[in-house]
Amino acid sequence: MKIIMAVSGAVLVLYLFAHMAGNLKIFVSAADFDHYAHWLRELGAPVLPHQWGLWIVRIGLTVAIIAHIVSATLLTIRARKARPVKYAHRPKVQGSYAARTMRWGGVIILLFVIYHILDLTTGTVHPDFAEGEVYNNVVADFAPERWYVTLFYVVSVIAVGFHLRHGIWSALRTLGQQSARGQRIARAVALAISLVLTAGFLSVPFAVTTGLVG
Amino acid sequence: MNLKLRVWRQKGPEDKGRMVTYEVADVSPDASFLEMLDVLNERLILEGDDPIAFDHDCREGICGMCGMMINGVAHGPERATTTCQLHMRHFKDGDSIDIEPWRAAPFPVIKDLVVNRGALDSIIQAGGYITAPTGTAPDAHATPVPKADADAAFEAATCIGCGACVAACPNGSSMLFTAAKVAHLGLMPQGQPERSSRVISMIEAQDEAGFGGCTNAGECTTVCPKGIPLNLIGRLNADYLKAVSGR
Amino acid sequence: MTEFWTQGEPIADTAAPDGPVETRWERRQFTAKLVNPANRRKLTVIVVGTGLAGGSAAATLGEAGYHVKSYCYQDSPRRAHSIAAQGGINAAKNYRNDGDSIYRLFYDTVKGGDFRARESNVYRLAQVSVNIIDQCVAQGVPFAREYGGLLDNRSFGGTQVSRTFYARGQTGQQLLLGAYQALERQIAAGNVEMHERHEMLELIIVDGKARGIVVRDMVTGEISTEVADAVVLASGGYGNVFFLSTNAKGCNVTATWRAHRKGAYFANPCYTQIHPTCIPESGSHQSKLTLMSESLRNDGRVWVPKKAGDHREAADIPEDERDYYLERIYPAFGNLVPRDIASRAAKNVCDEGRGVGPGGLGVYLDFADAIKRLGQPAVEAKYGNLFEMYARITGEDPYVTPMRIYPAVHYTMGGLWVDYDLQSNIPGLFVVGEANFSDHGANRLGASALMQGLADGYFVLPNTLGNYLASGPYPKVTVDHPAVVEARRDVEERIKKFLSINGDRTVDSFHRELGHIMWEYCGMERTEEGLTKAIGLIRALREEFWTRVKVPGKGEELNQNLEKAGRVADFFELGELMCIDALHRAESCGGHFRAESQTEDGEALRHDDEFAYVAAWEHAGFGTAPTLHKEDLNFEYVHPTQRSYK
Ligand SMILES: Cc1cc2nc3c(=O)[nH]c(=O)nc-3n(C[C@H](O)[C@H](O)[C@H](O)COP(=O)(O)OP(=O)(O)OC[C@H]3O[C@@H](n4cnc5c(N)ncnc54)[C@H](O)[C@@H]3O)c2cc1C
Ligand code: HEM
Ligand code: HEM
Ligand code: SF4
Ligand code: F3S
Ligand code: FES
């Protein structure tokens, strides 16, 4: 189960990297960014028909997320079962906060992803969504007067950062990392990846809100 | 000093249990935590109350018999210290202290602060040994063990089986305990023949006993009185992956 | 004086072969009858105790195919008190090429025991010691090693060779885990039935043979009877009769005392080892004492103020007002005199009112000179963990203020009398480990108790017990046999009695008071007058106990005070016998110093012509003076000499 966790988590991390790289194109130019969205849909062409590539990625992601959530839930159920009576004095967190908040962090991320897809992929909750005009959609999303959306994105992305920092380190441990030196490296890698991802994702809404882009 | 204790009282396995408040006066800062409870118990007996049951034996931090949650921390606020080696000088006059038993499904409460930790023995039964019938051993010097390995094995073998790691783990997992034993035996040449089967059966035994799964929360190592390090869990996972893939 | 005991028939150890000491064990093994492996399954053996002795015995017997039932009072066999041993385990491996040999270990042990141990037993112990290390290494015990990967040794307890194997300061734990793991393997295999949290409260004798025990399930309070073909007691030492000792809180004499009351002889009960370097008492809450390694005396200097009643801080006492009394009295050995001498000297200066710390019960162990000479880092490297432990317990920093130490009861050499086969005078009752009296005479050498426990359990008992069982079969006993029913009823009545007294004093308060009496009169230095007085005091206190003790709760539940009450009740009877034994032995030997028997310069004086025997006591019924049976000791190889450390 832990292994499923680790592997599905790793798939999600890979996606996040690709996604971030894509997002960062917003800094290059509007056209480039839109082009990226378009390219997404042509992924795998000419071998695969229009949007198939994207759907494969989407299916892969969904499978990974479901596997991930299912195993997280099973672990949580087991944990509950293993401690049927709670402590009256809530245990002090002795280890790390990132580790202790994995479950809530995960739920926040899931909620965010749902909102996020409704927002920028389907446009359901987007005020003036236009299919294909990804650049505009994003810019409109993070307009200064829509600060609460921005805030939600920021909070979520930070949650992702925390989740990943512990998650990646944990995944490495689950996959057998064990030496003291390895542990330092694992910690550093986890921290670096999560920082890069957090910074990368955060740069977009910041840039839009502050008018750097748009 | 004077203290206010809130102690988990539970008459027996079937009782629901509750926290009960006791005031204790004139506690000597030189007394150990258990001696403080001894003094309270003497008073309770003479007042006609039932004294608080708690496990203990060696009172020098080595047998692993003692253990309670003190203000939500297994074995109390001092790091790398068993409850019996915790002294009252680490508390202040007027402090209020919550005392609870280890809580985990595989550790059912027997009475008050006494729990049944037999599940840890069942993990050892599953494979936490080296098969070496008496009298069949070769000369002790037949197999040299590199000092580094011997020392590392020793570090892992210092686990006293107290169960604090389980009590502190948000998942109620016994992973650190199991990892310590797997590392102790796996680091020595004598432990190699049974290395794969050992790790698989011990992991299965801990799941069967009802311990939770480890999510690397790391609480266990911070309360471990012997400072068993977290990377032994990584070692266990590596051994496990290797063992299942080689099966 | 003889109102306290009566003289019985002498006894002899008839199981030991004579002839050359080197081949006695081999010859005994050869003459022992064997049990056909196919029949072993049908034979049940009860083993009480899971320490080094009981754990190794149960594992080995299980492996051999017997049906074993094992008992301990802790919640896991791994927690037996053997786990606390720090220093190490001796073995005559001669890995150091420093002239060690089986013969030298034998010689050192007989001499160390002040010529009150049997040569045949000690020789076998030294022989078997070699196999113990092999066995433990094969089990994965992580002994300390050198860079070449071979086992490291250190010298220990005043011997001139390096023969002590160790695992940092946790040798006992590591050895016990080895035995425990072997035991768990047998439990998993179904050969050993493990009963944790079960206390033995009575021995069952049928037709003169030990056939079972009565136990109380400490969780439910259920009393049950267990029958078997033989019973092995491995229940450890009885140092807790002193209340404060380095023993675990649960250590008790109940298992062996109940057997004694059923006819087993108790040998040399007064031989107690008092360890000089323990952390002193800090107040009336004190529940036990903690041992600190003797190695501290290699560099620490022991002193007290010259003036009685000097309450200044150590730092304020100038050099010329300090009395480095060990260096003064024993210039040759100084701070490194043997345990008994260091302990007694500390008591003497404290009795003079020169003790330091709370209650004036302590002497300084000062590292200031060592720190000056070697530098703090060197001292830290050598003793860091001990200093840390001291600081944790006392709250004082020993790098700044000198440590305070005081002697504490540590080990009991006495125990049930056994022959060479480790069988008591009751057929079918075997006794191993600290619970028997066998190998250490009047004084035990450091690192020899672990060796004895494992020798008994892994190597000796499995052979000699087989001989007994092969002499059977013994008629089946069922739990409705009258002797079984009676033993059970006795236990139940005793428990009822405890619960019904409902007096006004706690069990602990009685235990503490008994401990004071024992420490005062039957501790480091004993006199005829003091011992006689102590016997009177103990009897009076015991009367009071049976009328005023208050044991709360019920019998049918986890009831820790009920457990204690049973143990303390037995300690009262044992304490009296210890005083009688100490009284009758009008000589000083080993751990037993009789003030009336000393040389002109105050050293212990043995009387080999009168007392070269084992004192085996027979219970003659409650309120009747016990009967003394003497087993003469002959020394064919190591000839008695007086010790001198001046
Ligand atoms: C602090 C300390 C340090 C020591 N250091 C050393 C050292 O460095 N080297 C050395 O050689 N020796 C040392 N010793 C001595 C040595 O540890 C003991 O003598 C030895 O371990 C005793 O082993 P055992 O198996 O006989 O008994 P124990 O280990 O005491 O085991 C007794 C067993 O009997 C059980 N039991 C007792 N009573 C009952 C009952 N009524 N019913 C059911 N079960 C019962 C207990 O549960 C336990 O399992 C030390 C002792 C102490 C106290
Ligand atoms: C409801 C949603 C989620 C929940 C409940 C959840 C919960 C968890 C939990 C409990 C862990 C286990 C930590 C461990 O095993 O050490 C974990 C790990 C991880 N999570 Fe999530 N998570 C969720 C969503 C996500 C999402 C959306 C991503 C990616 C963007 C993600 C990425 C990761 C990674 C990379 C790991 C590390 C894998 C591992 O440790 O084995 N999670 N998650
Ligand atoms: C603030 C930074 C982010 C921006 C600007 C952003 C932008 C976008 C955009 C524009 C799309 C739509 C692409 C398209 O339909 O063409 C999209 C899709 C998506 N994003 Fe993000 N995103 C951000 C952060 C995140 C984070 C942190 C996650 C995950 C934890 C995430 C997960 C997804 C997913 C799963 C999709 C749907 C992909 C698909 O199925 O088409 N995004 N994002
Ligand atoms: S790993 Fe540490 S906390 Fe867990 S049982 Fe062992 S000593 Fe106790
Ligand atoms: S706290 Fe629990 S989750 Fe794992 S790392 Fe320790 S066992
Ligand atoms: S009582 Fe033995 S470790 Fe605390």
Side-chain angles (χ1 to χ4, degrees):
Chain A
M1 187 136 32
K2 283 301 307 290
I3 300 164
I4 300 175
M5 261 336 274
V7 172
S8 59
V11 170
L12 296 176
V13 170
L14 284 183
Y15 170 74
L16 280 183
F17 260 110
H19 185 38
M20 179 186 73
N23 284 350
L24 289 181
K25 294 205 171 181
I26 203 167
F27 292 112
V28 181
S29 77
D32 238 12
F33 195 53
D34 286 346
H35 180 79
Y36 148 72
H38 183 73
W39 168 82
L40 263 181
R41 283 158 179 72
E42 298 297 342
L43 196 69
V47 187
L48 298 168
H50 180 67
Q51 289 223 359
W52 273 44
L54 179 61
W55 277 107
I56 288 174
V57 171
R58 282 179 179 167
I59 290 167
L61 277 181
T62 316
V63 169
I65 286 195
I66 289 175
H68 186 79
I69 293 174
V70 166
S71 35
T73 315
L74 288 178
L75 271 173
T76 309
I77 292 172
R78 259 184 73 189
R80 292 267 149 84
K81 267 224 216 92
R83 174 147 315 121
V85 185
K86 296 270 159 296
Y87 288 110
H89 190 115
R90 235 180 116 233
K92 282 200 185 113
V93 174
Q94 301 270 311
S96 87
Y97 280 91
R100 263 322 209 8
T101 49
M102 284 306 272
R103 294 200 177 109
W104 284 111
V107 172
I108 292 175
I109 297 169
L110 181 70
L111 292 178
F112 163 76
V113 170
I114 292 170
Y115 173 84
H116 179 57
I117 291 176
L118 292 178
D119 182 12
L120 288 173
T121 307
T122 63
T124 322
V125 294
H126 199 276
D128 40 17
F129 183 75
E131 177 81 43
E133 296 187 16
V134 187
Y135 181 84
N136 287 336
N137 291 343
V138 171
V139 171
D141 220 17
F142 298 133
E145 61 277 15
R146 282 170 50 85
W147 57 272
Y148 46 88
V149 172
T150 312
L151 187 68
F152 180 51
Y153 267 81
V154 168
V155 167
S156 306
V157 169
I158 289 174
V160 170
F162 267 107
H163 196 83
L164 289 183
R165 173 165 150 226
H166 178 68
I168 293 170
W169 174 77
S170 166
L172 291 172
R173 162 117 321 142
T174 301
L175 296 173
Q177 172 289 122
Q178 49 176 292
S179 69
R181 208 172 86 89
Q183 170 160 334
R184 276 197 304 279
I185 295 174
R187 274 198 195 286
V189 166
L191 187 64
I193 293 183
S194 26
L195 276 182
V196 166
L197 284 176
T198 313
F201 277 118
L202 280 184
S203 62
V204 177
F206 268 121
V208 175
T209 309
T210 53
L212 216 72
V213 172
Chain B
M1 62 179 111
N2 300 325
L3 300 166
K4 194 171 108 187
L5 308 182
R6 290 204 312 142
V7 185
W8 182 259
R9 301 305 308 265
Q10 179 173 342
K11 284 195 163 50
E14 311 303 328
D15 185 24
K16 257 180 64 82
R18 72 228 129 262
M19 297 295 275
V20 177
T21 305
Y22 301 95
E23 309 272 346
V24 287
D26 295 329
V27 177
S28 160
D30 289 326
S32 71
F33 199 83
L34 300 185
E35 286 168 346
M36 183 271 295
L37 291 177
D38 286 343
V39 172
L40 170 61
N41 274 344
E42 290 280 287
R43 195 188 88 201
L44 293 180
I45 295 171
L46 293 178
E47 287 171 357
D49 273 342
D50 201 20
I52 301 161
F54 59 88
D55 263 333
H56 64 99
D57 200 26
C58 74
R59 297 211 176 183
E60 53 183 79
I62 192 72
C63 73
M65 187 95 172
C66 66
M68 43 190 91
M69 291 301 265
I70 300 172
N71 284 339
V73 180
H75 285 309
E78 281 286 292
R79 283 228 167 177
T81 302
T82 54
T83 306
C84 59
Q85 288 289 74
L86 173 67
H87 283 75
M88 296 313 293
R89 64 180 75 90
H90 299 295
F91 295 89
K92 290 191 309 293
D93 187 37
D95 273 0
S96 134
I97 306 175
D98 288 358
I99 308 174
E100 291 172 83
W102 287 169
R103 293 222 184 272
F107 289 176
V109 174
I110 294 173
K111 183 176 179 178
D112 298 340
L113 305 172
V114 177
V115 301
N116 179 356
R117 284 169 291 201
L120 295 180
D121 290 331
S122 72
I123 298 176
I124 301 294
Q125 272 164 33
Y129 48 74
I130 289 170
T131 301
T134 313
T136 57
D139 184 86
H141 270 178
T143 319
V145 183
K147 184 171 168 54
D149 288 350
D151 287 352
F154 175 84
E155 289 300 339
T158 57
C159 163
I160 56 175
C162 63
C165 45
V166 178
C169 173
N171 301 310
S173 171
S174 59
M175 201 68 159
L176 193 64
F177 168 84
T178 308
K181 186 49 61 192
V182 165
H184 160 208
L185 300 175
L187 277 159
M188 312 211 71
Q190 290 82 0
Q192 299 315 310
E194 292 163 292
R195 188 164 168 180
S196 303
S197 57
R198 172 183 309 123
V199 65
I200 293 178
S201 21
M202 286 179 78
I203 294 259
E204 279 168 4
Q206 76 174 7
D207 289 352
E208 212 166 283
F211 290 104
C214 171
T215 59
N216 299 307
E219 301 279 304
C220 49
T221 188
T222 59
V223 300
C224 172
K226 298 296 151 184
I228 301 293
L230 208 53
N231 55 350
L232 295 188
I233 291 184
R235 196 171 194 285
L236 172 73
N237 286 326
D239 270 15
Y240 182 70
L241 286 179
K242 205 145 111 220
V244 283
S245 58
R247 212 170 28 178
Chain C
M1 210 166 83
T2 43
E3 69 195 78
F4 292 118
W5 74 88
T6 57
Q7 185 88 27
E9 292 295 305
I11 49 163
D13 175 9
T14 51
D18 42 23
V21 74
E22 294 83 0
T23 53
R24 282 183 197 165
W25 178 226
E26 200 184 318
R27 281 179 287 131
R28 177 69 194 119
Q29 283 175 282
F30 183 69
T31 53
K33 294 195 207 108
L34 302 173
V35 183
N36 180 342
N39 290 337
R40 293 184 189 159
R41 195 95 286 282
K42 296 176 229 148
L43 294 167
T44 304
V45 179
I46 284 175
V47 181
V48 179
T50 58
L52 287 180
S56 59
T60 307
L61 294 170
E63 178 92 50
Y66 296 105
H67 178 64
V68 179
K69 294 180 177 182
S70 168
Y71 299 84
C72 70
Y73 69 76
Q74 293 92 345
D75 73 334
S76 162
R78 69 178 290 152
R79 307 201 202 285
H81 188 53
S82 295
I83 203 145
Q86 305 168 347
I89 177 167
N90 288 331
K93 278 286 196 185
N94 192 25
Y95 281 160
R96 289 288 137 145
N97 196 25
D98 56 2
D100 198 12
S101 61
I102 290 172
Y103 197 87
R104 188 179 294 279
L105 177 53
F106 157 66
Y107 177 90
D108 287 349
T109 309
V110 172
K111 183 163 173 249
D114 222 3
F115 303 95
R116 292 294 174 263
R118 285 183 195 142
E119 285 189 334
S120 10
N121 280 58
V122 177
Y123 196 89
R124 175 179 62 191
L125 177 64
Q127 278 176 313
V128 168
S129 71
V130 174
N131 311 21
I132 294 176
I133 301 302
D134 299 342
Q135 177 63 26
C136 294
V137 166
Q139 288 171 340
V141 170
F143 283 119
R145 290 188 181 256
E146 298 183 317
Y147 284 99
L150 301 180
L151 294 163
D152 194 12
N153 289 130
R154 60 182 171 203
S155 68
F156 199 75
T159 51
Q160 284 146 338
V161 292
S162 260
R163 62 160 76 103
T164 306
F165 294 78
Y166 65 101
R168 209 141 336 150
Q170 301 190 351
T171 317
Q173 177 177 24
Q174 296 312 326
L175 294 173
L176 183 60
L177 290 181
Y180 156 78
Q181 287 163 198
L183 179 63
E184 292 294 337
R185 185 165 77 88
Q186 293 308 317
I187 295 171
N191 298 332
V192 176
E193 248 179 66
M194 185 66 226
H195 302 272
E196 306 89 355
R197 290 199 203 263
H198 277 70
E199 187 167 26
M200 164 184 168
L201 295 176
E202 196 55 89
L203 177 71
I204 295 171
I205 296 187
V206 177
D207 299 332
K209 298 194 173 61
R211 295 306 301 270
I213 59 174
V214 181
V215 292
R216 177 171 178 273
D217 178 333
M218 296 158 74
V219 173
T220 62
E222 194 194 350
I223 308 290
S224 58
T225 43
E226 307 285 342
V227 293
D229 296 284
V231 176
V232 179
L233 299 185
S235 52
Y238 51 83
N240 273 354
V241 64
F242 290 87
F243 186 71
L244 291 182
S245 79
T246 63
N247 287 9
K249 291 297 286 174
C251 290
N252 67 86
V253 76
T254 293
T256 48
W257 192 257
R258 293 283 119 198
H260 173 59
R261 292 190 53 130
K262 284 278 170 93
Y265 295 170
F266 210 111
N268 300 334
C270 82
Y271 288 161
T272 312
Q273 184 167 82
I274 295 181
H275 199 290
T277 48
C278 299
I279 300 177
E281 236 182 291
S282 67
S284 61
H285 54 259
Q286 191 84 27
S287 59
K288 79 150 278 171
L289 297 169
T290 305
L291 175 79
M292 277 192 310
S293 168
E294 227 164 348
S295 63
L296 288 168
R297 287 199 282 144
N298 288 333
D299 287 303
R301 295 182 71 197
V302 177
W303 65 274
V304 289
K306 279 193 174 148
K307 271 202 321 285
D310 187 340
H311 293 305
R312 287 175 292 174
E313 295 288 317
D316 300 335
I317 302 179
E319 202 57 38
D320 61 348
E321 290 178 41
R322 299 176 175 192
D323 178 11
Y324 294 88
Y325 59 89
L326 288 177
E327 298 167 25
R328 175 171 59 81
I329 309 175
Y330 305 97
F333 279 71
N335 295 301
L336 289 172
V337 290
R339 288 179 181 179
D340 54 330
I341 294 180
S343 298
R344 211 162 51 241
K347 178 175 157 62
N348 289 341
V349 295
C350 293
D351 287 350
E352 291 163 15
R354 299 196 284 147
V356 297
L361 292 178
V363 299
Y364 287 125
L365 180 62
D366 198 336
F367 284 84
D369 285 347
I371 293 174
K372 221 180 288 160
R373 184 163 40 92
L374 309 166
Q376 177 146 342
V379 172
E380 214 171 307
K382 240 168 148 173
Y383 305 114
N385 54 345
L386 293 167
F387 277 36
E388 209 176 287
M389 175 173 93
Y390 180 86
R392 189 200 297 283
I393 293 174
T394 62
E396 289 173 6
D397 179 1
Y399 293 104
V400 183
T401 40
M403 279 185 182
R404 287 174 295 110
I405 54 166
Y406 200 64
V409 172
H410 177 56
Y411 183 87
T412 48
M413 281 75 73
L416 290 185
W417 183 88
V418 289
D419 62 14
Y420 188 69
D421 283 357
L422 304 179
Q423 184 167 219
S424 72
N425 57 307
I426 299 176
L429 179 68
F430 291 76
V431 191
V432 294
E434 194 175 340
N436 73 23
F437 90 106
S438 68
D439 296 355
H440 307 293
N443 184 34
R444 172 179 70 82
L445 288 184
S448 282
L450 302 181
M451 170 172 72
Q452 183 221 338
L454 290 178
D456 288 1
Y458 281 134
F459 299 106
V460 180
L461 181 78
N463 284 291
T464 59
L465 180 69
N467 177 61
Y468 172 78
L469 293 171
S471 313
Y474 304 103
K476 278 270 160 274
V477 175
T478 53
V479 288
D480 45 17
H481 188 285
V484 179
V485 174
E486 188 190 308
R488 182 198 173 104
R489 203 190 45 233
D490 288 350
V491 168
E492 284 165 349
E493 264 162 24
R494 213 163 116 96
I495 289 176
K496 237 182 259 156
K497 173 83 179 147
F498 286 130
L499 293 167
S500 66
I501 299 170
N502 197 21
D504 57 358
R505 282 189 65 176
T506 61
V507 178
D508 273 351
S509 80
F510 281 106
H511 193 178
R512 216 177 267 279
E513 195 173 333
L514 171 67
H516 278 305
I517 299 173
M518 294 302 294
W519 179 248
E520 194 53 39
Y521 304 108
C522 198
M524 279 173 278
E525 186 171 318
R526 298 131 182 214
T527 63
E528 183 180 330
E529 193 195 342
L531 289 164
T532 315
K533 183 170 171 198
I535 294 170
L537 290 172
I538 293 171
R539 288 180 179 167
L541 190 64
R542 185 179 58 220
E543 288 281 293
E544 192 179 333
F545 174 82
W546 283 103
T547 48
R548 282 185 60 191
V549 76
K550 184 177 175 101
V551 181
K554 302 190 302 271
E556 301 78 34
E557 60 173 356
L558 178 81
N559 187 338
Q560 295 174 323
N561 278 278
L562 180 62
E563 295 158 17
K564 281 191 209 166
R567 295 172 191 163
V568 173
D570 290 334
F571 279 139
F572 273 117
E573 297 178 17
L574 166 79
E576 183 178 328
L577 185 67
M578 286 173 74
C579 291
I580 293 175
D581 184 43
L583 183 63
H584 111 280
R585 191 169 283 277
E587 65 160 347
S588 295
C589 64
H592 169 62
F593 186 84
R594 266 294 282 270
E596 296 91 341
S597 179
Q598 45 182 307
T599 61
E600 269 159 29
D601 41 10
E603 295 309 315
L605 183 61
R606 250 186 13 241
H607 295 295
D608 292 331
D609 45 341
E610 279 179 82
F611 290 104
Y613 61 77
V614 174
W617 296 93
E618 181 185 357
H619 184 71
F622 187 69
T624 310
T627 312
L628 171 65
H629 300 274
K630 295 180 183 175
E631 179 201 330
D632 279 328
L633 293 169
N634 300 311
F635 295 94
E636 297 170 49
Y637 296 88
V638 190
H639 296 291
T641 48
Q642 284 290 351
R643 298 190 302 165
S644 171
Y645 295 95
K646 291 248 156 139

